[in-house]
Amino acid sequence: MNQIGSIRRLDELGRIVIPKEIRNELRLKAGDNFSITINGNDIILRKHSPLESFKDLAHAIAQTLYNKTKNDILIISGETIIENTSKDIKETVISDEIYNLMNSRQTTLFHSKKIYLTENYLTTKDLIISPINVSGDILGALIIIGENLTDEIKNITEILNSVLTKELEN
């Protein structure tokens, strides 16, 4: 466990300020939701993403896309890969590059561009990244990695993304 030597005071409303270094490292921003649990005398904060409760639907969408395209499918929740059809990078944090592309808020098709998906996983294949935008908040992304990706596959990705988005909005 990384520790940043910082002591914070609880104010009269029960608030504690999370140090800027931690907010930056964990990509925390105003409006993020957290689950709060206790373990003995420890208070545990975990960044919460609504996608976590839709893992079955995320898995079904990933498998549907995989069966249609035979390309690797990733589904990202927050900054973590929660679904992956071929590489063993599930439960891994995405790279800053993917995080920034995801926050561009538009579905994009890249041809043979070198992109780090995670800190250690580089791809030079085609890539479609489709951000999951719910009520103006980017909750994650749907990503396809493969050879010779087309606008047709991009359109299919956007349709399946919209199914996931509609479920999250309800």
Side-chain angles (χ1 to χ4, degrees):
M1 176 187 308
N2 294 343
Q3 291 187 345
I4 296 177
S6 182
I7 296 175
R8 300 292 177 178
R9 183 178 302 272
L10 184 70
D11 75 8
E12 63 276 354
L13 296 177
R15 297 176 296 199
I16 300 172
V17 174
I18 300 171
K20 186 174 183 176
E21 300 83 23
I22 293 174
R23 294 193 316 261
N24 289 342
E25 183 175 328
L26 297 178
R27 299 176 180 147
L28 303 179
K29 55 191 175 301
D32 284 347
N33 292 311
F34 294 85
S35 65
I36 304 171
T37 56
I38 57 171
N39 183 3
N41 286 330
D42 296 330
I43 299 170
I44 302 167
L45 293 174
R46 290 197 198 289
K47 193 170 176 184
H48 174 74
S49 171
L51 274 174
E52 293 297 320
S53 54
F54 287 88
K55 280 189 175 183
D56 290 342
L57 179 57
H59 178 75
I61 286 173
Q63 287 304 312
T64 300
L65 263 173
Y66 177 77
N67 291 339
K68 172 69 177 159
T69 67
K70 301 300 183 216
N71 293 303
D72 191 19
I73 312 300
L74 303 171
I75 297 182
I76 297 167
S77 173
E79 292 88 35
T80 305
I81 299 167
I82 62 167
E83 203 49 58
N84 180 228
T85 54
S86 70
K87 302 282 185 272
D88 190 22
I89 56 173
K90 195 171 175 181
E91 303 303 326
T92 308
V93 176
I94 59 173
S95 69
D96 288 341
E97 187 174 13
I98 291 294
Y99 181 79
N100 292 335
L101 290 171
M102 187 172 78
N103 283 297
S104 73
R105 300 178 174 272
Q106 56 189 345
T107 300
T108 310
L109 168 59
F110 297 97
H111 289 288
S112 303
K113 180 178 176 184
K114 289 184 179 180
I115 296 179
Y116 277 94
L117 297 173
T118 68
E119 186 178 309
N120 300 316
Y121 182 61
L122 174 71
T123 184
T124 56
K125 295 181 179 180
D126 292 355
L127 182 126
I128 297 171
I129 182 164
S130 182
I132 299 168
N133 185 344
V134 177
S135 303
D137 294 326
I138 302 300
L139 301 182
L142 183 56
I143 296 177
I144 300 182
I145 304 162
E147 304 290 335
N148 303 316
L149 296 181
T150 63
D151 284 331
E152 178 188 8
I153 295 171
K154 179 182 168 191
N155 292 339
I156 292 168
T157 303
E158 289 177 312
I159 290 167
L160 289 174
N161 186 334
S162 69
V163 169
L164 185 54
T165 298
K166 292 282 186 226
E167 284 299 312
L168 288 164
E169 288 173 342
N170 293 333

